[in-house]
Amino acid sequence: MPKHVMHLVTTGKQPLDQVVSKLASCPPDVIDTIHIREKSRSAKEIFEWYTALRSTLPKTHIFVNDRLDAAAAAGAPGVQLGYTSLPPRLARAILPASTLIGLSVHSLEEAARAHNEGVDYILYGHIFATGSKAGVEPRGIEALAAVVEAARVPVIAIGGIEPGNVEEVLSSGCAGIAVMSGILGHGDPAKQAMRYRERLDGSRHTPRIAFHGNE
């Protein structure tokens, strides 16, 4: 059965040494991909984050959000694009051919277009209520399932996902989940990461389109 993946997205609110400290005790194969999502930091700082996280979790893929300059300099295996980023077709022209390109989408129409824009996967949310989107109505499982059905690339679900609702999320056919404060805001991040991993690996559901990373 294809593996469900777990992506971890940095919060933009924690210093590098705190993030490294929280992740240092995580087993090497628990988190598949870490996204450096630090909008207020410079390209130099993003590069430093990449180097530190790569050293801390050498078996984990490290992706860079938005900053293609830092991603290219670090040799990152993937990037995550959003509304303010360069369009995927321009990012593809700049980056090495092997670089995975992800796109954050928030509607069924955006999900359906993603393949034609040249992206390798999409991030969709927020699925459940979350503090990072306070006051904004969550999109829910039904909308996620519709996006998974419409997309021709793997879908990673994000937003308010806890170990207890992982199986419900995976029932949509998505390729995996992305977590922020669910791990980085937890008192025991390593143990919490293992809880997520156990739910992912023990799921009875199968991804509609699996995410294979940079294998």
Side-chain angles (χ1 to χ4, degrees):
M1 178 182 293
K3 176 184 178 182
H4 288 101
V5 296
M6 176 164 60
H7 290 210
L8 175 66
V9 183
T10 66
T11 67
K13 300 176 182 178
Q14 298 166 308
L16 175 58
D17 60 349
Q18 185 179 115
V19 174
V20 167
S21 176
K22 284 178 173 290
L23 296 180
S25 59
C26 285
D29 299 322
V30 172
I31 300 169
D32 298 290
T33 301
I34 296 174
H35 293 238
I36 301 174
R37 184 179 181 272
E38 299 291 317
K39 296 182 178 181
S40 66
R41 303 190 190 278
S42 67
K44 179 182 177 182
E45 289 173 310
I46 297 296
F47 184 89
E48 291 169 350
W49 275 63
Y50 182 92
T51 302
L53 290 171
R54 191 77 183 88
S55 176
T56 303
L57 291 171
K59 293 187 177 181
T60 300
H61 293 307
I62 312 296
F63 287 9
V64 172
N65 281 42
D66 188 47
R67 295 301 301 262
L68 303 185
D69 51 353
V79 297
Q80 179 69 32
L81 305 178
Y83 280 125
T84 61
S85 305
L86 285 175
R89 59 182 178 80
L90 294 181
R92 183 66 72 192
I94 293 170
L95 297 168
S98 61
T99 306
L100 292 185
I101 295 179
L103 182 66
S104 296
V105 304
H106 302 89
S107 72
L108 190 62
E109 293 73 22
E110 290 176 352
R113 291 196 305 264
H115 178 267
N116 292 334
E117 295 178 10
V119 305
D120 297 292
Y121 71 95
I122 58 176
L123 201 68
Y124 176 78
H126 60 295
I127 309 306
F128 302 110
T130 173
S132 64
K133 300 285 186 180
V136 182
E137 188 73 17
R139 292 179 168 87
I141 299 297
E142 186 175 337
L144 171 61
V147 162
V148 170
E149 183 65 28
R152 296 168 60 192
V153 294
V155 178
I156 307 296
I158 188 171
I161 300 173
E162 299 290 343
N165 59 35
V166 165
E167 184 71 354
E168 184 182 4
V169 173
L170 300 184
S171 71
S172 68
C174 68
I177 62 170
V179 181
M180 296 176 70
S181 58
I183 290 176
L184 290 175
H186 196 272
D188 191 338
K191 184 176 289 186
Q192 184 74 340
M194 282 300 302
R195 292 190 185 104
Y196 280 107
R197 184 77 268 163
E198 288 167 1
R199 302 302 193 283
L200 291 165
D201 291 347
S203 176
R204 60 186 176 85
H205 299 290
T206 303
R208 180 174 176 271
I209 303 175
F211 180 95
H212 294 293
N214 295 77
E215 297 173 359

